[in-house]
Amino acid sequence: EPEVTQTPSHQVTQMGQEVILRCVPISNHLYFYWYRQILGQKVEFLVSFYNNEISEKSEIFDDQFSVERPDGSNFTLKIRSTKLEDSAMYFCASSDRDKYEQYFGPGTRLTVT
Amino acid sequence: DAKTTQPTSMDCAEGRAANLPCNHSTISGNEYVYWYRQIHSQGPQYIIHGLKNNETNEMASLIITEDRKSSTLILPHATLRDTAVYYCIVRVGNSGYALNFGKGTSLLVTP
């Protein structure tokens, strides 16, 4: 069964550094998403992406964040200058045009020290 | 999106049916009811969704009341692997929209 994959599974970085989290969505899906979950808190929507542009974003997704689909398979989330409060599990998801369910990857645990 | 209300936690004995309720009294006519679950910090997993008719798939059944103000997710024969946080989410059915996760119901399946 096709699945969303994410790399790395765990990323440790120092405050102020840039990080790129990578995702490979399900191959025929057209909509891509990033969510995050701070330890012990609820899953929060960050951004959705369709047709090579952002279709929706939350208040969390400020200028420090950017997304890109650099080729036909990868979908990335970049955090320009990480802060301690960016420490969280980041989940990538994808969905098909005619099906409403979103399929999530296993997540990348980001630890900012 | 309409607000949902779920119990904080529930227990269920292994092999028995788990019935997870959700209230969504302000649901609009074009909003679907979705259920996802999250097993111990893994990525959320889609379970089922419905508009007004009851739905069943290989994982669960979804019962929506006639007035659509509440619904129940039924896991017919709960196993230990069904221990997870279950989220009831109401939103329009189009692709590309955010899922707004609440706190969900923490289901513990016991031996």
Side-chain angles (χ1 to χ4, degrees):
Chain A
E1 184 176 324
E3 58 184 21
V4 176
T5 59
Q6 292 185 242
T7 54
S9 57
H10 191 191
Q11 173 92 45
V12 180
T13 190
Q14 288 191 325
M15 194 168 53
Q17 295 297 303
E18 175 184 286
V19 293
I20 297 176
L21 309 182
R22 303 180 192 277
C23 168
V24 179
I26 293 173
S27 62
N28 61 337
H29 284 184
L30 300 175
Y31 297 85
F32 314 110
Y33 315 80
W34 284 101
Y35 294 79
R36 79 172 186 189
Q37 186 174 32
I38 296 170
L39 188 64
Q41 298 187 23
K42 63 181 184 177
V43 177
E44 300 174 291
F45 169 75
L46 294 178
V47 65
S48 60
F49 191 84
Y50 171 71
N51 200 25
N52 281 320
E53 58 184 30
I54 290 173
S55 49
E56 187 181 5
K57 62 181 181 179
S58 72
E59 292 178 352
I60 303 169
F61 194 88
D62 60 22
D63 292 343
Q64 293 281 69
F65 293 89
S66 62
V67 289
E68 191 178 31
R69 188 152 163 83
D71 53 42
S73 59
N74 290 284
F75 180 51
T76 63
L77 174 69
K78 182 192 291 186
I79 308 175
R80 246 177 286 284
S81 177
T82 50
K83 306 173 193 150
L84 294 176
E85 54 265 36
D86 293 327
S87 294
M89 184 74 90
Y90 288 80
F91 296 108
C92 173
S94 68
S95 66
D96 197 1
R97 187 202 307 274
D98 297 323
K99 296 187 178 179
Y100 305 150
E101 55 267 33
Q102 295 180 19
Y103 292 88
F104 285 76
T108 292
R109 179 165 298 285
L110 177 64
T111 302
V112 183
T113 62
Chain B
D1 295 338
K3 181 179 168 55
T4 62
T5 304
Q6 299 178 252
T8 303
S9 63
M10 295 182 65
D11 292 347
C12 177
E14 189 178 19
R16 305 298 293 269
N19 296 282
L20 293 91
C22 179
N23 286 320
H24 32 78
S25 58
T26 60
I27 192 170
S28 301
N30 65 343
E31 288 182 316
Y32 286 69
V33 180
Y34 289 80
W35 284 84
Y36 283 76
R37 72 180 182 183
Q38 188 176 26
I39 298 172
H40 189 51
S41 295
Q42 295 179 20
Q45 178 188 23
Y46 165 80
I47 301 173
I48 199 167
H49 75 279
L51 183 62
K52 50 185 176 183
N53 296 324
N54 298 338
E55 303 287 345
T56 295
N57 63 20
E58 65 278 3
M59 288 183 70
S61 294
L62 174 60
I63 309 297
I64 303 174
T65 58
E66 196 169 336
D67 64 7
R68 303 213 315 128
K69 292 184 177 182
S70 66
S71 60
T72 301
L73 178 75
I74 301 172
L75 307 178
H77 305 287
T79 71
L80 299 179
R81 288 179 296 179
D82 291 322
T83 292
V85 179
Y86 287 77
Y87 301 97
C88 169
I89 300 169
V90 170
R91 49 151 269 195
V92 294
N94 302 38
S95 295
Y97 285 83
L99 291 170
N100 292 313
F101 289 85
K103 295 183 179 179
T105 296
S106 180
L107 175 69
L108 176 64
V109 180
T110 56

